[in-house]
Amino acid sequence: IMPSLVGSEMCIRDSPSPWRVASSRVALALRAHRRERAMLRVLGRPLPSLGLPPLPPELLGALFVGHTAPDLDSIAAAIGAACLFAGTPAVAGELNAESAFALAHWGLPCPAPIGELLASDARARVCLVDHNQRSQLAPALRACPDRVCGVIDHHALQDDAIVTAAPIFATLRPWGSAASIVAHMALEHGVRLPPPIAGVLLSAILSDTLNLRSPTTTDYDRKLLRRARARAAPRRAAPHT
């Protein structure tokens, strides 16, 4: 019995033995490990040869929104994820001065309020970014938590975490910023983000990691910062006044 690879799945001709099934799982785990190692070595370059997975369908076309006290990380992560998943960024509160400056510098519009977007589309699905707590949900979303389809976050799960009636897509990584996670997701799927999007992610990584000096900063944040900086370099516009 000879195994063959189709896409990213191991297919076994005929009826596999228990040993063959176990060996296949080990082989897949090793391939995933090698892919991650290769990713760390070549951060910033497209990786078509690694058999990259498709984008999670649960998030395609969704609304992406941060918490009710939006900082630059939650705004940038929402914008970056919306670009990656062909969705729409949203905001759950007033922008602070840092976020407004960064958006102006990179020539990006302020996202629309999440309440308006939910009211205009009764079927809209929402992915939470940079938070997972019910207390941080936008008021318009607290009334319809069943519309949450995903979470992209770097914070701990605590007693007040979002509760859903059905399984959702979730990625929680112990990194310095949600913007780093979004940048890495783009890299995982071989997507080159436009320079202004990479630029606002760059700004958010610097902000949330305190210029890479925060104790929560990881090697992922440092490497993804360099990648975002290189991608954003073509745009050198002066800040708006």
Side-chain angles (χ1 to χ4, degrees), residues 45-105:
R45 295 195 288 271
L47 307 171
S49 61
L50 294 180
L52 297 178
L55 290 168
E58 299 90 343
L59 302 186
L60 294 177
L63 305 178
F64 295 85
V65 66
H67 44 77
T68 52
D71 57 5
L72 181 53
D73 192 38
S74 69
I75 296 294
I79 292 173
C83 178
L84 177 60
F85 293 102
T88 303
V91 65
E94 288 284 331
L95 293 187
N96 61 23
E98 181 185 47
S99 301
F101 177 86
L103 291 180
H105 177 70

Side-chain angles (χ1 to χ4, degrees), residues 29-54:
L30 288 173
R31 287 180 63 206
H33 175 70
R34 292 192 192 103
R35 184 174 70 185
E36 182 68 17
R37 292 293 299 274
M39 230 178 258
L40 290 175
R41 289 196 299 271
V42 298
L43 276 170
R45 295 195 288 271
L47 307 171
S49 61
L50 294 180
L52 297 178

Side-chain angles (χ1 to χ4, degrees), residues 174-176 208-210 212-218 221-222:
W175 297 358
D208 232 40
T209 63
L210 304 178
L212 302 181
R213 295 173 183 170
S214 165
T216 61
T217 304
T218 67
D221 298 297
R222 297 183 183 92

Side-chain angles (χ1 to χ4, degrees), residues 109-200:
C110 177
I114 183 65
E116 293 181 8
L117 295 175
L118 288 173
S120 64
D121 185 354
R123 296 183 299 176
R125 295 166 296 110
V126 181
C127 177
L128 309 180
V129 299
D130 197 33
H131 71 296
N132 62 66
Q133 300 293 299
R134 286 178 290 185
S135 60
Q136 297 177 317
L137 288 178
L141 195 52
R142 292 176 194 169
C144 50
D146 56 310
R147 296 171 79 168
V148 174
C149 66
V151 176
I152 300 173
D153 194 17
H154 68 122
H155 295 103
L157 286 173
Q158 298 177 339
D159 292 342
D160 196 38
I162 182 72
V163 176
T164 60
I168 62 172
F169 175 90
T171 179
L172 290 88
R173 309 182 191 184
W175 297 358
S177 78
S180 293
I181 299 175
V182 172
H184 191 265
M185 292 176 77
L187 180 65
E188 283 180 310
H189 298 286
V191 176
R192 284 186 176 275
L193 297 172
I197 304 296
V200 78

